[in-house]
């Protein structure tokens, strides 16, 4: 909104063009004295007053408040919607080009909300491309632009920032961002269902990677309970995809597959190619855990090809870790090793968790070929990466593998040290690295009472 003096001059000019007196403009809601004070720039009009005067003057609230024709902002918002569709169904680099142009236009027009939307889009494009520092920069900029907005409006950039840190292997910080926002929403009385589903769905991943399965299950139940109140089908589909991970961790394979099938159906309708690829990815993971290796390979290859076509390098690399594990279990060791070696040439830019997973698999392949020194080297590198990320469940399994290898080669004391390290990570999953769980929203707790879920129940 412009300064009061500019708004006052604008009101006076438009009133004069229409030949209205101050009394005629003011009635029936205001007085001529108020209009006189406003036109002299001595009072800052409220939004309610400006909307009333805009209707009387035959203009828009936006034009009266800022001096910009309303159609400019409308056209910009339409263009932002087109860019969002491009991101959902086309290539991220094409969408990023459009978002950058729209950011410049929104900045020139001084449209804060539209600048934030463009920044959010650029952040999502950077996530797909695996450019995590750029993604964080854009999400932080969007959050600053929305600093005066209610917290639910800031949920998207906070979620985006948390996902970027998660993909970089910073699990604890991702959890902190998401949990603190959930708590703040509850404490402020702004427990917006869409914002909560967005945050609960996002926090399931880091919970599972850190071994906090009870919290992951509780977050999944809350997200499912809130889903009927959410109007955005893409958000609901994303929630089903994340919830599937929790069902799988609980051993509920059929439920996990059903959730993924629901998500696939919705994403297929919306043509959100990246998220649809993620559904194939998770279905492949579910099938691999259930021993259906041939089906898992097909799903994971489909996911990799879809993501590769989108030039989503970060996600493509992560899928390849899962695919390599399936190939190893099928006995195609050389093919799996080639895939993992190519992936590690990227460095750990695709996240410490998945880089650690690649080293773990290479260690297993080396062991199966009797190459114990190479296996130990890979296990040690994986351990360093996973300790940095805080992935408790993966760390415990890796310490077991390393301990077994050391014991078989006669280094009993070193093996005991590895086992003790693993026991430390398994002693209390999710409690040694996380603070208290976020409080459940009031309208979610009642619905979930008696459901058998608890935020910190034993894993």
């Amino acid at each position: 909104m412009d300064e009061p003096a500019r708004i006052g001059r604008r009101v006076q000019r438009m009133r004069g063009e229409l030949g209205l007196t101050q009394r005629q403009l003011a009635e029936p809601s205001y007085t001529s004295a108020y209009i006189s004070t406003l036109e002299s720039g001595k009072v800052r009009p409220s939004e309610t007053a400006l909307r009333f005067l805009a209707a009387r003057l035959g203009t828009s609230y936006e034009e009266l408040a800022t001096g910009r024709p309303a159609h400019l902002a409308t056209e910009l918002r339409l263009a932002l919607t087109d860019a969002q569709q491009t991101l959902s169904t086309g290539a991220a680099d094409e969408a990023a080009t459009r978002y950058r142009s729209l950011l410049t236009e929104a900045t020139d027009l001084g449209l804060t909300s539209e600048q934030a939307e463009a920044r959010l889009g650029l952040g999502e494009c950077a996530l797909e491309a695996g450019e995590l520092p750029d993604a964080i920069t854009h999400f932080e900029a969007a959050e600053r632009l929305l600093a005066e907005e209610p917290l639910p409006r800031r949920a998207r950039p906070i979620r985006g920032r948390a996902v970027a840190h998660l993909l970089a292997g910073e699990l604890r910080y991702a959890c902190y961002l998401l949990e603190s926002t959930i708590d703040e929403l509850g404490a402020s009385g702004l427990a917006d269902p869409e914002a909560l589903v967005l945050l609960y769905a996002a926090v399931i991943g880091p919970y599972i990677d850190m071994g906090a399965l009870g919290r992951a299950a509780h977050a999944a139940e809350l997200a499912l309970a809130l889903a009927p109140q959410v109007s955005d089908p893409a958000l609901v589909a994303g929630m089903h995809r994340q919830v599937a991970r929790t069902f799988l961790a609980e051993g509920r394979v059929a439920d996990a597959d059903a959730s993924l099938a629901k998500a696939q159906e919705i994403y297929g309708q919306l043509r959100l190619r990246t998220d649809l690829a993620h559904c194939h990815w998770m279905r492949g993971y579910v099938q691999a855990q259930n021993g259906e290796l041939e089906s898992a390979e097909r799903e994971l290859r489909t996911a990799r090809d879809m993501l590769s076509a989108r030039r989503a390098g970060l996600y493509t690399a992560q899928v390849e870790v899962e695919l390599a594990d399936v190939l190893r279990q099928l006995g195609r060791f050389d093919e799996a090793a080639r895939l993992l070696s190519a992936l590690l040439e990227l460095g750990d830019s695709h996240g410490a968790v998945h880089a650690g997973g690649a080293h773990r698999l290479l260690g297993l392949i080396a062991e199966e070929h009797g190459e114990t020194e190479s296996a130990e080297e890979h296990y040690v590198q994986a351990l360093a990466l996973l300790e940095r990320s805080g992935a408790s469940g993966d760390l415990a399994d890796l310490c077991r593998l390393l301990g077994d290898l050391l014991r078989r080669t006669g280094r009993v004391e070193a093996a005991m040290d590895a086992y003790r390290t693993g026991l430390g990570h398994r002693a209390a999953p999710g409690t040694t690295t996380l603070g208290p769980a976020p409080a459940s929203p009031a309208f979610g707790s009642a619905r979930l009472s008696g459901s058998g879920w608890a935020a910190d129940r034993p894993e």
Side-chain angles (χ1 to χ4, degrees):
M1 185 184 293
D2 273 347
E3 293 298 315
R6 291 183 178 181
I7 294 173
R9 288 194 295 271
R10 199 172 295 129
V11 170
Q12 186 178 41
R13 174 178 57 78
M14 291 182 177
R15 178 176 64 79
E17 290 172 354
L18 293 173
L20 297 175
T21 66
Q22 290 179 337
R23 181 180 297 276
Q24 287 172 326
L25 176 60
E27 293 179 344
S29 299
Y30 298 91
T31 65
S32 58
Y34 175 76
I35 299 301
S36 176
T37 304
L38 188 155
E39 289 183 350
S40 66
K42 295 177 181 178
V43 64
R44 176 176 288 278
S46 66
E47 180 179 336
T48 301
L50 280 184
R51 290 193 182 280
F52 169 81
L53 294 175
R56 299 281 290 163
L57 293 167
T59 188
S60 68
Y61 161 77
E62 188 165 17
E63 186 165 2
L64 194 59
T66 67
R68 293 186 297 267
H71 70 87
L72 291 179
T74 302
E75 290 171 0
L76 183 57
R77 282 190 285 271
L78 286 171
L80 283 165
T81 302
D82 290 343
Q84 185 178 15
Q85 180 70 9
T86 300
L87 176 58
S88 298
T89 62
D93 55 355
E94 181 184 348
T97 299
R98 300 189 69 178
Y99 275 124
R100 279 191 289 269
S101 174
L102 293 169
L103 176 61
T104 299
E105 187 176 344
T107 303
D108 290 343
L109 292 171
L111 296 172
T112 302
S113 180
E114 285 69 24
Q115 289 178 59
E117 201 63 36
R119 286 285 191 179
L120 281 167
L122 285 168
E124 294 294 342
C125 292
L127 277 183
E128 285 211 8
E131 298 164 354
L132 300 183
D134 287 347
I136 292 170
T137 297
H138 288 304
F139 288 129
E140 286 177 341
E143 202 173 341
R144 286 194 298 272
L145 288 163
L146 298 172
E148 301 302 318
E149 296 289 331
L151 184 57
R153 284 274 288 126
R154 289 180 272 127
R156 284 175 60 203
I158 293 171
R159 175 260 181 196
R161 194 152 56 94
V163 170
H165 285 291
L166 168 63
L167 293 173
E170 299 164 11
L171 307 185
R172 294 184 187 88
Y173 188 58
C175 280
Y176 163 75
L177 286 174
L178 295 164
E179 289 188 337
S180 60
T181 307
I182 290 168
D183 269 337
E184 190 178 347
L185 278 169
S188 65
L190 298 173
D192 178 85
E194 291 200 14
L196 283 171
V197 169
L198 194 73
L199 296 166
Y200 278 128
V203 82
I204 289 170
Y207 276 163
I208 290 179
D209 285 340
M210 295 180 75
L213 302 186
R215 289 199 188 183
H218 189 60
E221 285 294 313
L222 289 171
L224 284 169
L226 292 164
Q229 303 177 53
V230 177
S231 59
D232 184 350
L235 193 55
V236 175
M239 177 269 297
H240 278 298
R241 178 164 53 83
Q242 294 295 344
V243 164
R245 295 191 68 187
T246 301
F247 284 150
L248 182 62
E250 292 287 311
R252 298 161 63 181
V253 176
D255 288 337
D257 206 50
S259 280
L260 292 169
K262 289 177 184 176
Q264 277 187 294
E265 181 181 355
I266 295 172
Y267 283 134
Q269 293 168 356
L270 296 173
R271 300 183 66 197
L272 299 177
R273 300 294 293 172
T274 298
D275 286 316
L276 182 58
H278 281 236
C279 288
H280 284 291
W281 175 4
M282 286 304 298
R283 290 198 80 176
Y285 182 73
V286 168
Q287 290 164 351
Q289 296 300 305
N290 205 32
E292 302 167 14
L293 299 180
E294 289 78 9
S295 297
E297 182 185 358
R298 286 194 297 272
E299 291 284 357
L300 291 170
R301 286 193 184 279
T302 298
R304 185 187 64 170
D305 292 346
M306 291 172 71
L307 291 166
S308 179
R310 292 289 305 278
R311 294 184 287 283
L314 174 68
Y315 293 129
T316 302
Q318 293 176 352
V319 172
E320 287 178 340
V321 174
E322 307 291 351
L323 177 58
D325 193 19
V326 170
L327 294 173
R328 181 189 68 82
Q329 293 180 67
L330 287 168
R332 290 148 65 182
F333 302 115
D334 291 344
E335 189 177 352
R338 284 195 300 272
L339 196 61
L340 293 166
S341 297
L343 185 152
L344 286 175
E345 288 178 6
L346 299 173
D348 63 356
S349 62
H350 50 287
V353 172
H354 290 85
H359 278 295
R360 173 187 172 277
L361 288 174
L362 285 168
L364 285 170
I365 292 170
E367 271 205 86
E368 287 158 351
H369 284 78
E371 301 167 359
T372 55
E373 289 185 8
S374 177
E376 182 180 348
E377 182 180 341
H378 282 298
Y379 289 153
V380 169
Q381 290 185 69
L383 188 62
L385 287 163
L386 293 176
E387 282 182 329
R388 190 179 77 197
S389 73
S392 302
D394 292 340
L395 270 166
D397 176 66
L398 183 62
C399 288
R400 178 187 60 79
L401 290 172
L402 179 58
D404 289 350
L405 175 64
L406 293 169
R407 181 171 53 82
R408 284 194 298 272
T409 56
R411 287 170 287 172
V412 178
E413 285 298 320
M416 292 296 292
D417 287 340
Y419 290 141
R420 289 190 193 100
T421 301
L423 285 172
H425 289 295
R426 290 298 295 170
T431 58
T432 58
T433 55
L434 297 170
S440 301
F443 50 86
S445 299
R447 185 175 304 180
L448 292 172
S449 61
S451 66
W453 296 94
D456 291 308
R457 73 177 189 172
E459 311 295 353

